């Protein structure tokens, strides 16, 4: 296949990737966006294979490993529950970063195979692209591993800090820049391996001080890193599709991270530099006193809802764990039959990754026009009769507005406490992912419903009939 024809078809795949991002910007068009992305990737991979000059035995091995890797990826994606989707995304990000590192290593060791020159005499532009791609890829890999371990619960979700941490991170980042400069000047293999090792190290260090409350931002940030790593390697390989794809992923991930940081009242540079300037958890949250709460059952909840004119549903990670979205939809349908207005309030970081709750509600065929983001619905709580909080915690915690020492202080939260009545479905009074007590539990207008979210919702529906 000629170079001009390959470039043209790569451009078509790039347009499809742009349409994919456009489609994924809304739940209504997300399926179509996914389809565009799949078609674009199939085209890009096919053109890459057809552009190979010599179909040697090595090509067969590529096909074999492609089939093995694709099968494993498809199997994992098919079997993974929605509750573990953030861990899956973090795991996939790590593989993208590692792939960029492996390609950079191959290009550095055997530059002739990539038409980059000879060992020790690699073209300067290619060497710069290669080293930057390798460094960002290594940071993405190690950072994503830490994110996966925190999300999976293998590693504590609490921030891990030590004295002089920020100075150390700054020195390591500076050393990476110095290493890239001298590597490009000397093309020393020792410097290349040191660069990769140091990049792996800083990836660990910039993620460990970030707490669970900021993990959704970390996921989108690592998504951006993986894109920039792919783009850097794309320049090295002179692959148009890889450059376009990497740039799209990198820029969209960076924009999403910025939007989420703004929505959580977090500093964007604070997060990407490893939680610099973050506050420690207040001592008042470390020894939580047992305080009285009002608890009820499905009968009580059904009674309050029957006598309400408007209900706002606030879903959270607990709903995802219990797989209660379908039961919730049935309960809402029953409420509508009784002429009760029902809407859904979604916090930007509800769940453990961007859009987590939107996907779950779409899975249950919840109408899109009933789902509202925080800034669209927050003023409606004061006029609502009932707020039904199902598994959400940190995103409803009023302490974010009152305690400067809280790790979630300044983060916009849903004003559910302003409702006439709050029904809070939760298994226990345990803290949320940020590790702090929720003041909403103890409000006079809050009724705690201690149960599995799915079972409680089903029981409420029965009592509504």
């Amino acid at each position: 296949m000629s170079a001009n024809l390959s470039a043209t078809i790569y451009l078509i795949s790039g347009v499809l990737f742009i349409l994919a991002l456009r489609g994924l910007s809304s739940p209504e068009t997300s399926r179509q966006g996914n389809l565009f992305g799949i078609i674009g990737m199939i085209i890009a991979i096919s053109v890459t294979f057809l552009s190979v000059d010599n179909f040697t035995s090595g090509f067969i091995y590529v096909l074999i490993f492609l089939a093995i890797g694709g099968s494993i990826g498809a199997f994992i994606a098919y079997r993974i529950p929605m509750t573990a989707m953030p861990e899956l995304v973090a795991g996939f990000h790590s593989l993208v970063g590692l792939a960029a590192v492996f390609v950079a290593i191959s290009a550095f060791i055997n530059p002739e195979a990539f038409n980059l020159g000879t060992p020790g005499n690699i073209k300067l532009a290619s060497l710069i692209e290669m080293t930057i791609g390798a460094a960002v890829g290594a940071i993405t890999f190690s950072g994503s591993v830490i994110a996966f371990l925190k999300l999976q619960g293998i590693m504590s979700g609490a921030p891990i800090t030590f004295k002089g941490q920020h100075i150390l991170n700054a020195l390591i980042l500076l050393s990476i820049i110095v290493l890239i400069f001298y590597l490009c000047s000397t093309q020393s293999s020792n410097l290349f391996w040191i660069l990769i090792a140091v990049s792996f190290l800083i990836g660990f260090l910039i993620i460990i001080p970030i707490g669970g409350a900021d993990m959704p931002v970390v996921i989108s940030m690592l998504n951006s890193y993986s894109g920039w790593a792919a783009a850097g390697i794309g320049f090295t390989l002179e692959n148009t599709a890889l450059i376009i794809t990497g740039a799209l992923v990198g820029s969209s991930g960076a924009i999403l991270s910025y939007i989420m940081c703004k929505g959580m009242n977090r500093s964007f540079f604070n997060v990407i530099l490893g939680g610099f300037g973050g506050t420690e958890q207040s001592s008042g949250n470390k020894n939580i006193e047992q305080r009285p709460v009002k608890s009820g059952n499905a009968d009580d909840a059904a009674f309050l809802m029957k006598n309400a004119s408007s209900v706002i549903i606030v879903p959270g990670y607990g709903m995802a764990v219990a797989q209660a979205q379908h039961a919730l939809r049935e309960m809402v349908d029953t409420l509508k039959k009784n002429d009760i207005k029902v809407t859904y309030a979604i916090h930007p970081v509800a769940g453990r990754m961007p859009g987590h709750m939107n996907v779950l509600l779409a899975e249950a065929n919840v109408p899109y026009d009933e789902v509202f983001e925080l800034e669209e619905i927050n003023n409606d709580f004061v006029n609502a009769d009932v707020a039904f909080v199902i598994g959400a915690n940190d995103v409803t915690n009023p302490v974010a507005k009152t305690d400067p020492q809280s790790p979630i202080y300044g983060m916009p939260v849903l004003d559910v406490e302003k409702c006439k009545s709050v029904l809070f479905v939760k298994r226990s009074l345990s803290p949320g992912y940020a590790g702090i007590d929720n003041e909403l539990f103890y409000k006079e207008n809050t009724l705690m419903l201690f149960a599995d979210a799915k079972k409680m919702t089903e029981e409420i529906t029965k009592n509504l009939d």
Side-chain angles (χ1 to χ4, degrees):
M1 183 179 290
S2 67
N4 288 337
L5 181 58
S6 296
T8 301
I9 300 178
Y10 276 147
L11 183 60
I12 294 173
S13 67
V15 172
L16 288 169
F17 293 144
I18 294 173
L19 291 174
L21 283 177
R22 179 67 182 87
L24 292 172
S25 64
S26 169
E28 296 175 297
T29 57
S30 59
R31 293 176 185 267
Q32 186 181 59
N34 271 322
L35 181 60
F36 281 136
I38 292 170
I39 295 173
M41 187 56 67
I42 291 174
I43 291 173
I45 293 174
S46 300
V47 173
T48 301
F49 279 127
L50 294 174
S51 300
V52 176
D53 295 329
N54 299 314
F55 288 84
T56 61
S57 58
F59 186 77
I60 302 300
Y61 286 116
V62 171
L63 286 177
I64 292 173
F65 287 116
L66 179 65
I68 294 173
S71 299
I72 293 174
F75 178 77
I76 293 174
Y78 179 76
R79 293 292 301 273
I80 201 78
M82 274 304 303
T83 50
M85 193 58 67
E87 292 95 310
L88 177 67
V89 172
F92 281 173
H93 287 166
S94 72
L95 296 178
V96 174
L98 191 61
V101 173
F102 283 156
V103 172
I105 291 173
S106 300
F108 186 82
I109 294 175
N110 188 18
E112 297 101 322
F114 301 89
N115 297 317
L116 304 179
T118 58
N121 190 31
I122 301 173
K123 290 184 290 186
L124 179 60
S126 298
L127 189 59
I128 294 173
E129 296 156 0
M130 181 194 311
T131 51
I132 293 176
V136 177
I139 293 171
T140 303
F141 172 75
S142 54
S144 297
V145 168
I146 295 298
F148 174 85
L149 294 176
K150 286 195 171 194
L151 290 166
Q152 191 67 19
I154 298 173
M155 182 177 181
S156 171
I160 300 174
T161 58
F162 54 85
K163 189 175 181 179
Q165 184 175 37
H166 304 310
I167 296 175
L168 176 62
N169 288 351
L171 289 174
I172 293 177
L173 288 171
L174 182 62
S175 70
I176 289 176
I177 297 173
V178 173
L179 282 169
I180 292 176
F181 175 79
Y182 280 105
L183 176 58
C184 292
S185 301
T186 63
Q187 301 205 14
S188 167
S189 59
N190 289 333
L191 290 179
F192 180 76
W193 293 113
I194 292 174
L195 172 66
I196 291 178
V198 171
S199 298
F200 277 129
L201 175 61
I202 191 61
F204 287 114
L205 292 176
I206 63 175
I207 301 300
I208 59 173
I210 300 178
D214 291 328
M215 198 51 64
V217 182
V218 172
I219 293 295
S220 60
M221 180 186 69
L222 290 171
N223 178 52
S224 177
Y225 287 177
S226 68
W228 297 125
I233 295 302
F235 279 108
T236 302
L237 302 179
E238 297 181 351
N239 187 294
T240 307
L242 196 54
I243 295 171
I244 294 174
T245 307
L248 287 172
V249 173
S251 57
S252 60
I255 292 170
L256 177 60
S257 298
Y258 175 76
I259 292 172
M260 294 185 67
C261 283
K262 187 176 180 181
M264 296 171 65
N265 197 29
R266 293 289 192 265
S267 165
F268 181 66
F269 292 103
N270 180 344
V271 175
I272 65 174
L273 293 178
F276 186 86
T279 59
E280 296 293 331
Q281 184 169 316
S282 64
S283 58
N285 291 322
K286 294 177 182 177
N287 297 306
I288 300 172
E289 297 180 4
Q290 293 298 321
R291 296 156 61 185
V293 298
K294 292 194 298 183
S295 62
N297 53 35
D299 289 335
D300 300 322
F303 176 80
L304 286 172
M305 287 188 177
K306 280 180 181 179
N307 291 280
S309 59
S310 62
V311 175
I312 299 178
I313 310 292
V314 181
Y317 185 66
M319 184 191 75
V321 173
Q323 288 291 289
Q325 61 269 28
H326 297 284
L328 181 64
R329 169 66 194 275
E330 292 178 10
M331 185 191 80
V332 170
D333 288 342
T334 304
L335 290 172
K336 289 179 183 177
K337 291 177 183 178
N338 295 325
D339 296 324
I340 299 172
K341 179 185 176 183
V342 182
T343 51
Y344 297 81
I346 306 295
H347 192 280
V349 293
R352 292 165 79 179
M353 66 178 291
H356 202 173
M357 293 301 105
N358 300 78
V359 173
L360 286 172
L361 294 179
E363 183 184 354
N365 295 316
V366 172
Y368 301 123
D369 59 358
E370 295 177 4
V371 181
F372 297 91
E373 300 294 332
L374 177 145
E375 63 275 5
E376 299 173 309
I377 200 170
N378 228 15
N379 292 330
D380 294 345
F381 282 103
V382 69
N383 297 316
D385 295 310
V386 176
F388 185 73
V389 184
I390 178 168
N393 200 334
D394 296 326
V395 298
T396 64
N397 195 340
V399 78
K401 298 176 285 187
T402 59
D403 184 4
Q405 299 303 314
S406 171
I408 65 170
Y409 179 70
M411 182 180 83
V413 293
L414 293 163
D415 295 331
V416 295
E417 76 276 8
K418 294 181 179 180
C419 272
K420 295 175 183 177
S421 298
V422 178
L423 300 175
F424 206 122
V425 183
K426 203 172 183 297
R427 288 179 179 272
S428 67
L429 291 175
S430 60
Y433 201 62
I436 57 176
D437 201 19
N438 192 340
E439 287 296 318
L440 183 61
F441 298 161
Y442 314 105
K443 294 289 185 179
E444 185 66 27
N445 59 334
T446 299
L447 185 69
M448 299 298 298
L449 305 174
F450 295 113
D452 173 82
K454 183 179 180 181
K455 291 181 180 178
M456 174 57 71
T457 305
E458 290 173 342
E459 289 179 13
I460 293 174
T461 304
K462 292 177 183 177
N463 285 279
L464 286 171
D465 292 330

